[in-house]
Amino acid sequence: MDPEYLKHGQSKPSFLQVSGTVSQWSSLPKDLLITIEEEYLDLYTDKIRFRCVCSSWRSRLSKMPNHKNSRLPWLLIPHNHGITCGFMEPLEKRVHKLELPESGEKVFKGSAYGWVVIAEKSSSIYLVNPLTKARIKLPPRSKFPDVRKYHANKHGKEYLLWSLSLISVPGEYYSVDSTGVRNDLLQKVVLSSSPTCSNFVAVAIYGELGSLAYYKRGDKKWSVLHDKAPPYKDAIFHDGQLYALKGNGQLMVCDIGSYPKPIVTEVAPEPSRTPFGDLHLVESSSGIMMVQQCFKRGYIYEPSELYIRKTTSFNIFRLDTNCRNWYQVQSLGDDVLFLGLNSSIAISSHDYPDTYKGNCIYFTDVNYNFDLEGTGRGFDEGVFCLDDNKIEPLAAYVGDSHEVWPAPIWVTPNPY
């Protein structure tokens, strides 16, 4: 099928004559839709596009099978604060044009199960499915536990936040502008499942201490999950439970469903050598991994003084579930990792021998360098190969890469 269908909501006229109204197209009988899929659509990506034409088609067709390509990430490449996007499909190596619902000063704060977490300067947080354009609201940033007051019209001092730092006095609070809160005090949001599921849960890493908050379907606000130092760096849902990683490498498991409040217990202590840099938590076929992302930092002075950082290497640690500790490994084997603000993804290169090489990490920027917007300087992203410890460019952009903002994010397409 023609990739432009994603933009215009049309199917390729090689097997159907394009005519009639939208309502006529949406009324095609189930038997005909099934015949079209079985006779004309062999590629998994075409089956995804077919289901994205309209909600009535999607409801009449069976849900996507558990295919190996269902975990293959595409790269969502935003332009103009995400108003328009490119969606790069790795197997066909094509970039599809998309428009996300509504405009605004938005940044990405996570992605999982085909949905992208978007935060706006206005305090709004919501989920968007880039394929179907479906949108689901989450409670806004103003409904987090660290917010004392929020005044949308108080420019530059929209938030009054409780101070939770180790040196603060109990009851102390301070003011922050909405841009600062959006950029720096909402680090990441992870999802337990597709938000269309009845038991859906979202967990956010937020605030000056990297605390955890959670939202369950129907809640009006975010609730405290854990706010004890050191700060959390990443979290994943694994076997129905939330695993959260602290900045010192300590791994915790959180029982959100316990009453009267969530129970947080240690799974593995910090390693004997405390890791530094960014830490990622990854679920793979061989178990849970901690990935340490190392940087070099510095300043540039043209055209103005800007703080920058660039990734230099990665270190891999696997969880020993019997001894309940981390041990370092030198290779990922056949695995390929995709890291960034997305919920981390691991796939086997055996499934995609013509597309991906094993023992590599594909990484995107996590939006630390917000001051780089409009400067023409690129993001901290690339492909790190553990075989030779070298970083190659992430070849993904079509057109002027300087127009890309905010940083791209990995997304596993899902029309449901």
Side-chain angles (χ1 to χ4, degrees):
M1 295 184 73
D2 190 330
E4 282 297 300
Y5 126 84
L6 280 172
K7 182 178 180 182
H8 300 296
Q10 298 174 344
S11 42
K12 191 175 180 180
S14 58
F15 58 85
L16 289 174
Q17 180 62 39
V18 178
S19 62
T21 65
V22 173
S23 61
Q24 288 173 325
W25 276 104
S26 65
S27 301
L28 289 181
K30 179 178 180 179
D31 290 346
L32 178 57
L33 293 172
I34 293 174
T35 299
I36 292 171
E37 180 174 34
E38 291 177 348
E39 296 294 329
Y40 294 96
L41 306 180
D42 296 323
L43 295 177
Y44 179 81
T45 50
D46 283 344
K47 295 177 183 290
I48 289 178
R49 297 174 192 143
F50 195 52
R51 283 161 172 77
C52 292
V53 171
C54 62
S55 58
S56 60
W57 288 20
R58 199 155 52 250
S59 65
R60 291 174 188 149
L61 292 165
S62 63
K63 287 201 170 185
M64 300 298 294
N66 187 17
H67 192 281
K68 64 180 183 181
N69 289 353
S70 65
R71 282 188 53 80
L72 187 65
W74 296 21
L75 189 63
L76 189 64
I77 308 167
H79 298 260
N80 303 321
H81 289 279
I83 298 173
T84 59
C85 293
F87 208 12
M88 192 195 76
E89 193 279 307
L91 295 182
E92 298 178 9
K93 295 180 172 62
R94 305 175 78 172
V95 177
H96 308 286
K97 296 179 181 178
L98 296 175
E99 292 184 2
L100 292 182
E102 302 184 15
S103 61
E105 296 186 54
K106 60 172 72 77
V107 294
F108 300 143
K109 292 297 181 178
S111 78
Y113 304 100
W115 294 77
V116 180
V117 184
I118 292 177
E120 292 192 345
K121 186 178 177 181
S122 65
S123 181
S124 296
I125 304 172
Y126 53 90
L127 305 172
V128 169
N129 189 317
L131 295 182
T132 65
K133 312 296 175 29
R135 171 174 165 162
I136 296 176
K137 283 187 175 182
L138 299 179
R141 183 60 180 85
S142 57
K143 296 297 183 180
F144 271 70
D146 62 342
V147 178
R148 181 176 182 267
K149 288 184 179 180
Y150 174 72
H151 299 284
N153 298 323
K154 202 170 184 178
H155 182 68
K157 296 182 179 180
E158 290 88 348
Y159 287 87
L160 278 180
L161 302 182
W162 294 111
S163 181
L164 301 175
S165 69
L166 297 177
I167 60 173
S168 63
V169 177
E172 186 177 358
Y173 55 89
Y174 61 101
S175 62
V176 187
D177 66 281
S178 59
T179 300
V181 171
R182 183 200 62 179
N183 291 355
D184 303 321
L185 297 179
L186 178 60
Q187 291 88 326
K188 188 173 186 177
V189 178
V190 299
L191 313 178
S192 66
S193 63
S194 168
T196 58
C197 296
S198 59
N199 59 349
F200 165 72
V201 176
V203 172
I205 302 175
Y206 75 98
E208 58 185 348
L209 284 186
S211 304
L212 295 180
Y214 70 95
Y215 157 84
K216 292 182 178 180
R217 179 183 293 278
D219 290 349
K220 302 299 183 183
K221 63 179 182 178
W222 296 82
S223 301
V224 173
L225 177 54
H226 202 234
D227 58 1
K228 304 300 181 184
Y232 285 94
K233 292 292 186 177
D234 201 3
I236 59 172
F237 281 89
H238 173 70
D239 290 340
Q241 291 185 300
L242 177 74
Y243 288 78
L245 184 65
K246 286 178 170 285
N248 62 353
Q250 184 183 21
L251 182 64
M252 314 297 287
V253 64
C254 309
D255 184 359
I256 298 176
S258 63
Y259 182 83
K261 64 180 182 178
I263 297 175
V264 180
T265 55
E266 182 184 87
V267 175
E270 63 182 284
S272 56
R273 185 176 179 181
T274 301
F276 60 90
D278 268 3
L279 299 180
H280 304 269
L281 204 52
V282 186
E283 177 187 25
S284 72
S285 59
S286 57
I288 293 178
M289 292 186 288
M290 173 174 65
V291 180
Q292 176 190 13
Q293 187 173 359
C294 305
F295 304 94
K296 63 178 180 181
R297 298 171 171 85
Y299 286 87
I300 56 175
Y301 299 96
E302 295 293 337
S304 61
E305 183 176 338
L306 291 171
Y307 167 81
I308 61 171
R309 68 176 202 172
K310 287 293 181 182
T311 297
T312 57
S313 62
F314 290 85
N315 294 315
I316 313 298
F317 301 83
R318 293 191 183 276
L319 177 66
D320 186 329
T321 55
N322 293 322
C323 297
R324 298 173 68 88
N325 61 18
W326 296 107
Y327 65 96
Q328 188 169 358
V329 297
Q330 302 304 317
S331 173
L332 290 168
D334 297 319
D335 280 348
V336 182
L337 305 186
F338 297 85
L339 307 180
L341 281 172
N342 59 292
S343 291
S344 302
I345 300 165
I347 63 172
S348 173
S349 59
H350 277 316
D351 293 331
Y352 314 97
D354 298 327
T355 306
Y356 293 112
K357 177 185 175 183
N359 207 27
C360 289
I361 298 173
Y362 288 70
F363 64 96
T364 55
D365 205 317
V366 292
N367 280 339
Y368 282 109
N369 294 348
F370 280 98
D371 291 337
L372 295 181
E373 181 182 5
T375 65
R377 294 189 174 269
F379 294 106
D380 179 27
E381 58 191 14
V383 183
F384 178 77
C385 180
L386 277 79
D387 289 334
D388 55 16
N389 291 323
K390 291 184 178 179
I391 296 177
E392 299 293 334
L394 186 63
Y397 300 142
V398 175
D400 187 359
S401 62
H402 294 169
E403 296 179 357
V404 176
W405 191 269
I409 189 171
W410 300 109
V411 180
T412 50
N414 178 11
Y416 295 96

